[in-house]
Amino acid sequence: MRDLVDEAVRRLRVAGVGFEPGLSDQEVDRLQDVLGFEFGPEHRAFLQTGVPTGEPAWPNWRGASLEVLRGRLDWPLESAIFDLRHNDFWPASWGARPDDEAERIQVARYHLALAPRLVPLFSHRYLTADPIYQPSPVFSVYQTDVIYYGATILNWVEKEFEGKKTVEPWPPVIRVPFWSDLAVGAESEDLEGQLTDQPRRH
């Protein structure tokens, strides 16, 4: 994991991304305590190697307000609720869709709380916080339009910053419950049970 993170940072520097000194253990612990989450191991290693600069795309973990950071952490869940309210989003794995909107939201929040936590990496790209799913895929999350944007953080750098989006084949992608199912279309009621390992892309 260390080699993967170091190479990702090196390539980002070559691509012109600026970096501040990495977060200290104390800074990481404070962020996690105040915001109620944990960075995944590779995400923590990445930010302790150097903090990328360039708001608003890169989260300003050192200087942004807690409100801004909390909003970015909550984006995947709250945008799913938005799609539930306005675009009839209802994953197959959640069972029968209640007729009452308030009940739908209650059921949705229950299931979303069970999904692995996603933590913002860049723009609307996210890594999972759960150390079980490492190296984490990079997910692009825009409301419930979720796609893989990299099999690992290094693979993501290649595609996002080095223009290698069409390179085949993809490396193996670790399946992250719920988010990977959205990414491959397996949460569609029409595609239930038809999970595929082939990543979707924009």
Side-chain angles (χ1 to χ4, degrees):
M1 183 185 71
R2 182 75 256 180
D3 290 346
L4 182 147
V5 167
D6 287 345
E7 182 63 11
V9 171
R10 186 191 72 79
R11 293 198 190 184
L12 286 170
R13 291 185 188 276
V14 170
V17 175
F19 281 84
E20 294 180 348
L23 297 175
S24 66
D25 286 337
Q26 292 76 15
E27 287 177 308
V28 170
D29 291 344
R30 176 183 175 275
L31 284 166
Q32 294 181 150
D33 289 345
V34 172
L35 293 170
F37 80 105
E38 291 187 7
F39 291 105
E42 67 192 290
H43 201 168
R44 179 170 182 147
F46 176 75
L47 291 172
Q48 293 201 285
T49 301
V51 179
T53 60
E55 293 183 84
W58 292 104
N60 185 349
W61 292 106
R62 188 173 275 125
S65 69
L66 293 177
E67 180 182 8
V68 167
L69 293 174
R70 189 171 287 110
R72 296 191 74 159
L73 283 162
D74 290 345
W75 162 258
L77 306 186
E78 293 306 317
S79 59
I81 297 296
F82 177 91
D83 268 5
L84 181 154
R85 284 177 165 147
H86 301 284
N87 297 313
D88 295 323
F89 173 68
W90 192 261
S93 64
W94 292 359
R97 183 177 183 269
D99 293 331
D100 178 70
E101 183 180 273
E103 186 178 351
R104 288 197 297 272
I105 292 171
Q106 182 180 18
V107 173
R109 290 198 182 280
Y110 169 80
H111 285 286
L112 289 168
L114 297 177
R117 186 71 179 267
L118 297 184
V119 180
L121 171 65
F122 170 83
S123 186
H124 50 275
R125 316 290 190 242
Y126 284 77
L127 292 168
T128 181
D130 196 321
I132 296 175
Y133 308 112
Q134 306 291 316
S136 173
V138 176
F139 293 100
S140 177
V141 182
Y142 199 86
Q143 293 170 223
T144 52
D145 181 13
V146 177
I147 65 171
Y148 287 118
Y149 228 79
T152 65
I153 193 171
L154 179 57
N155 183 238
W156 164 72
V157 170
E158 293 174 345
K159 296 177 185 303
E160 185 93 58
F161 291 90
E162 298 178 348
K164 298 180 181 178
K165 296 180 182 178
T166 60
V167 171
E168 297 290 353
W170 269 55
V173 183
I174 289 178
R175 178 182 175 271
V176 180
F178 184 69
W179 304 110
S180 289
D181 295 343
L182 285 181
V184 300
E187 282 290 6
S188 166
E189 291 183 351
D190 294 333
L191 296 175
E192 186 175 7
Q194 299 180 27
L195 182 63
T196 172
D197 292 329
Q198 181 60 35
R200 286 198 302 128
R201 298 151 232 182
H202 285 136

